[in-house]
Amino acid sequence: MTETGRFSPGDVVVRREIMLGEVPRTVSRRARSRIEWSQGAGEGTRSRIERDQERDQGLVREVWFAVPTICVEDSADLLALYLPTGAEFGFPDDGIFPCGRHPWQTAGHTAWRGHGKLMLQRPGEAHSVDVFWSGPQRAFAGWYFNLQDPFRRTPIGVDTLDHELDLWWAADTDRYVFKDVEIFAQRLVEGRYPGMGEAIRAEGDRIAALLDAGERWWDESWATWRPDPAWPTPRLPAGWSAVPC
């Protein structure tokens, strides 16, 4: 990491996903208070008012999933992270998970498979533009618009909250499609995104409107980008789950 707080190309950047949900009613009042306080501790990017509001609402934040990525670019208007083949997945041993453990953990997935993917994220935006490749020739497969919280920096990388709803524009088609619409609706019923449903849908509609208007707010030349063959497969650092979210 540079003196400006940004990462240098080739640095390992731990990307963590956060679980947000209501504290289970089965948890005692004392335990609820302790959990809610601990989730607010150390979150310098969020105001005390915001943290107090979350505690009043009985919400809990937990590190849910982590993966080591490689920094490709970290500038004032773009954070580009590469998730290579074989990058290990990390799942916390302890925690309160109102909506259950991460689905990749329950499915037994332990590392990223297939071609790596590139994640293009602009500060303050509630989505990333992910680049996928496929086949033995590593042909460009398409653009994946992943709805998520704007990334927040941590001492070891960045944190975000995945919003489940996404858009996918395959390279061999002339139009995008929405993904996981029914799953997203189910997640709202489960309480995974308290008070966030309308904002998440609005972001998806905003992206769709931009695409319909022919807007391209990312550099399409990323489709031909290739990783440095000298980069080793990154690993999660010790204590990755203990860094406050």
Side-chain angles (χ1 to χ4, degrees):
M1 183 180 294
T2 66
E3 293 181 357
T4 63
R6 296 198 177 103
F7 294 94
S8 299
D11 282 352
V12 174
V13 178
V14 178
R15 183 186 184 277
R16 304 190 307 180
E17 291 184 9
I18 306 303
M19 160 65 74
L20 174 66
E22 297 179 349
V23 181
R25 294 183 179 180
T26 55
V27 177
S28 69
R29 180 177 296 180
R30 178 176 296 179
R32 285 167 63 96
S33 177
R34 184 173 63 252
I35 291 166
E36 292 160 2
W37 180 89
S38 67
Q39 296 310 312
E43 294 184 345
T45 59
R46 299 166 57 244
S47 71
R48 180 179 297 276
I49 292 177
E50 289 174 318
R51 296 197 297 269
D52 287 345
Q53 287 175 340
E54 284 190 357
R55 287 194 289 272
D56 291 342
Q57 294 169 3
L59 302 184
V60 60
R61 284 179 180 266
E62 293 280 6
V63 175
W64 198 33
F65 166 77
V67 66
T69 66
I70 299 175
C71 176
V72 176
E73 179 180 332
D74 190 1
S75 59
D77 56 1
L78 179 67
L79 175 63
L81 301 177
Y82 176 59
L83 175 59
T85 301
E88 62 178 328
F89 295 158
F91 306 101
D93 294 327
D94 303 310
I96 300 295
F97 300 98
C99 302
R101 288 284 185 167
H102 196 282
W104 287 357
Q105 182 177 19
T106 57
H109 299 312
T110 60
W112 184 261
R113 300 176 61 184
H115 290 289
K117 72 168 179 175
L118 189 66
M119 296 170 283
L120 309 175
Q121 305 154 92
R122 297 199 302 184
E125 286 196 332
H127 72 275
S128 66
V129 181
D130 297 353
V131 193
F132 281 85
W133 297 270
S134 64
Q137 303 301 318
R138 194 176 176 273
F140 171 61
W143 308 106
Y144 190 98
F145 304 89
N146 188 70
L147 274 63
Q148 61 184 34
D149 270 11
F151 69 84
R152 298 183 176 96
R153 294 180 183 271
T154 73
I156 60 173
V158 294
D159 283 355
T160 187
L161 170 67
D162 187 83
H163 292 169
E164 192 76 59
L165 189 65
D166 308 299
L167 295 86
W168 167 244
W169 195 335
D172 57 354
T173 62
D174 58 4
R175 187 174 173 81
Y176 59 87
V177 295
F178 275 90
K179 286 185 75 279
D180 301 327
V181 175
E182 294 182 358
I183 296 177
F184 171 67
Q186 179 60 34
R187 296 294 181 258
L188 293 180
V189 173
E190 295 170 353
R192 185 172 297 183
Y193 306 110
M196 299 173 62
E198 290 186 8
I200 293 173
R201 291 192 186 97
E203 176 68 1
D205 291 341
R206 186 181 75 87
I207 293 172
L210 289 173
L211 295 175
D212 289 342
E215 296 287 339
R216 301 294 182 269
W217 56 97
W218 71 97
D219 188 343
E220 293 183 281
S221 67
W222 285 109
T224 60
W225 177 86
R226 289 183 175 273
D228 186 336
W231 282 342
T233 302
R235 300 189 62 82
L236 289 169
W240 60 266
S241 62
V243 177
C245 60

